[in-house]
Amino acid sequence: MTQTSPDTDSAAARHSVRAHRRPPSLAVTACFEFALTTAMLFTVVTAARWTAGPGSPFPELLATQQSRLVVMGLLVGSVVTAVLGPSMRRETAGHLNPAVSIGLWLLRVFPGRAVLPFVVAQLAGSVCGAALARLVWGDAAASVGDAALAPGPGWGAGAVFLAEAGSMAVIMLVVAWFGTRPALLRLLPPVVGGCVAAVIIFLGPLSGGGGNPARQLGPALVSGTTGLLWVYLLAPVAGSFVAGAVRALVRRRR
């Protein structure tokens, strides 16, 4: 009779538990999305307050818009990376972005019934995070427009729409590429985080560099700067639809 060591039995037991563990319910994952998006927006407004607002500890180092965008891009990219890895392992999503949830549904890797609860949770978290930051930082947050996005000189609604939609389309195609290759799946969190950082750093001075409806909704409502809000809300979603259409076309040709 073959004997097994205690370590082998323990490993087998752990594997059995993981195999039979149920993923969190939709209500739980939606609550995760709300909490994570709230935390992200609070972090974004706080970062804007301390990099560009009164009393910044690095006035000379962060004197230019580009330097502040580099800091913001690296910060948000790191947050996305840090959230996405554990969320993938625990099956708690961690999208932080309505356009991502919609895009993953279009790519057929996210259930349609979860899209609306996730989008509502993310947008609500955006408003709560920005409002909480205003409550904590007061006029200092207001002085940086509560981190609301704005286009650069000469950038109208059409140009902003194309840039924001294009950036999200690229991100979702990158997600589709890495997500459908098991050998590359572990690289998805840092790759997505790097893409988000690049959008903020390079498109920030031009279109605003949002690529996320939740990134703009809360700051825009709290600060009252809602002029191009519809663009920042709809353009990333349009980009997800473009990515979904491209992916479907590739599938058909294969």
Side-chain angles (χ1 to χ4, degrees):
M1 182 174 63
T2 302
Q3 294 183 344
T4 59
S5 68
D7 290 341
T8 302
D9 290 340
S10 178
R14 288 196 299 269
H15 177 76
S16 177
V17 169
R18 285 195 297 267
H20 293 88
R21 184 169 53 194
R22 291 184 179 180
S25 67
L26 176 56
V28 170
T29 52
C31 288
F32 267 111
E33 285 296 308
F34 171 78
L36 290 170
T37 309
T38 298
M40 183 184 73
L41 265 294
F42 178 82
T43 300
V44 166
V45 179
T46 298
R49 179 260 177 275
W50 285 111
T51 56
S56 171
F58 310 105
E60 296 181 1
L61 182 63
L62 302 175
T64 65
Q65 180 193 32
Q66 192 60 50
S67 63
R68 294 191 293 270
L69 286 172
V70 169
V71 171
M72 186 67 77
L74 293 176
L75 174 65
V76 176
S78 298
V79 168
V80 170
T81 301
V83 166
L84 186 55
S87 296
M88 287 173 57
R89 290 191 295 271
R90 298 170 185 168
E91 300 182 63
T92 52
H95 298 168
L96 305 174
N97 185 337
V100 169
S101 298
I102 293 171
L104 292 175
W105 167 60
L106 293 169
L107 294 174
R108 302 180 183 178
V109 295
F110 189 65
R113 66 184 182 85
V115 172
L116 183 58
F118 267 51
V119 170
V120 171
Q122 291 152 354
L123 295 179
S126 171
V127 175
C128 288
L132 180 61
R134 171 65 79 90
L135 181 64
V136 171
W137 302 119
D139 291 341
S143 70
V144 294
D146 298 286
L149 301 172
W155 279 68
V160 172
F161 193 100
L162 290 176
E164 295 290 302
S167 64
M168 178 50 59
V170 170
I171 289 176
M172 291 310 304
L173 289 173
V174 168
V175 169
W177 175 266
F178 280 80
T180 54
R181 287 160 175 80
L184 301 178
L185 191 58
R186 63 185 178 83
L187 299 176
L188 186 59
V191 168
V192 172
C195 289
V196 171
V199 167
I200 295 171
I201 293 170
F202 295 108
L203 286 183
L206 305 175
S207 67
N212 182 350
R215 167 62 182 86
Q216 179 70 342
L217 179 64
L221 293 181
V222 172
S223 66
T225 55
T226 58
L228 286 179
L229 179 59
W230 68 273
V231 175
Y232 289 108
L233 293 181
L234 296 182
V237 176
S240 291
F241 273 92
V242 170
V246 171
R247 181 64 179 166
L249 179 61
V250 170
R251 279 203 196 98
R252 283 197 294 271
R253 288 189 173 182
R254 287 179 177 177

